[in-house]
Amino acid sequence: MTKGGILLLIIASLLAGIGTAAAQRTASLPVVLVAFDAVPTLANEVLISWTTQQQVNTDHFDIEKSNDGISWRRMATVKATGNSAIPITYHASDGLPIKGANYYRICIHDRNGATGYTITKCARVNNSCKTRIYPNPTAATITVSLGQMPRAEWRLTLISNLGQVLLQRRFASTTTQVQLPVSQYKDGLYTLEINDGFSKENKPLMINHR
């Protein structure tokens, strides 16, 4: 091979490498996801929420569901903001989960047609729950009803989706129903932890002022 032929071969190889790198950059979605959860409710639903820290040209989100973690189907579609440099939280709900394990993931669609998937979340639905929280969603006050006498003094803890403890109250073992004001908190999905020292339950709570 002549020197000119060798030079052309080297240039072609370099151009091919540049093209591959560019394709990889195009395929990666400019979305920063900082939270994703799927939480069963007392009404036998599953609340699904996810928070993006940053979005660039994001078109929409497809919420996909599976009963075995292998076969998936699209359950709902949520329109994306598109471009954002601040945290944005999205919500969806599954009104017909099966008893036991329910699997969820989100397919993120870019405006240029590229897609990407989140990790998979599993929500276990148990119809034997006795504790009731209502109304849920709420904008002002919730009622927590245990349904049976606790074995000891019990505690309610309100936790944000980032794990921050926002409120904690203690009640006597003779108290089975209480009201909790939550109007001061922002819209979003929270966790209400009910702990009597022997057992602990985590219940999802949706606050929505709109």
Side-chain angles (χ1 to χ4, degrees):
M1 183 180 292
T2 64
K3 291 184 178 180
I6 295 173
L7 181 59
L8 289 174
L9 181 60
I10 293 172
I11 292 173
S13 299
L14 290 173
L15 289 175
I18 292 172
T20 301
Q24 291 172 352
R25 287 196 296 271
T26 302
S28 61
L29 296 179
V31 177
V32 179
L33 199 73
V34 294
F36 170 39
D37 211 349
V39 183
T41 74
L42 293 175
N44 293 328
E45 295 182 344
V46 174
L47 295 179
I48 303 151
S49 65
W50 62 101
T51 301
T52 60
Q53 182 69 39
Q54 173 184 305
Q55 296 180 47
V56 179
N57 290 328
T58 308
D59 187 72
H60 66 277
F61 305 95
D62 282 338
I63 298 89
E64 298 185 357
K65 176 184 176 180
S66 172
N67 293 337
D68 56 10
I70 300 173
S71 301
W72 295 87
R73 64 178 178 84
R74 185 175 62 184
M75 187 189 74
T77 298
V78 175
K79 187 67 178 175
T81 299
N83 295 284
S84 175
I86 62 173
I88 297 177
T89 300
Y90 298 87
H91 303 285
S93 64
D94 180 8
L96 296 171
I98 63 170
K99 184 176 181 179
N102 295 262
Y103 300 91
Y104 303 91
R105 68 183 184 184
I106 298 174
C107 182
I108 306 168
H109 293 260
D110 207 356
R111 287 175 177 170
N112 65 6
T115 59
Y117 282 91
T118 65
I119 61 174
T120 298
K121 287 288 185 176
C122 177
R124 295 189 177 276
V125 176
N126 183 358
N127 296 330
S128 65
C129 295
K130 296 181 179 179
T131 303
R132 298 176 58 215
I133 301 174
Y134 57 93
N136 189 10
T138 185
T141 303
I142 60 167
T143 297
V144 180
S145 178
L146 299 186
Q148 62 183 4
M149 296 291 290
R151 289 182 281 180
E153 177 186 78
W154 58 288
R155 183 177 70 238
L156 280 179
T157 305
L158 184 65
I159 305 170
S160 72
N161 64 350
L162 298 178
Q164 180 185 7
V165 174
L166 303 175
L167 177 68
Q168 195 169 81
R169 298 278 179 85
R170 291 181 179 274
F171 304 96
S173 60
T174 54
T175 302
T176 59
Q177 182 169 298
V178 297
Q179 289 189 325
L180 199 68
V182 294
S183 59
Q184 66 270 39
Y185 302 111
K186 297 180 180 179
D187 289 2
L189 182 64
Y190 297 78
T191 299
L192 194 64
E193 181 185 276
I194 303 150
N195 190 337
D196 66 0
F198 296 93
S199 61
K200 181 170 66 175
E201 284 186 273
N202 289 331
K203 302 294 184 182
L205 171 65
M206 181 75 73
I207 297 177
N208 190 346
H209 297 283
R210 291 172 289 183

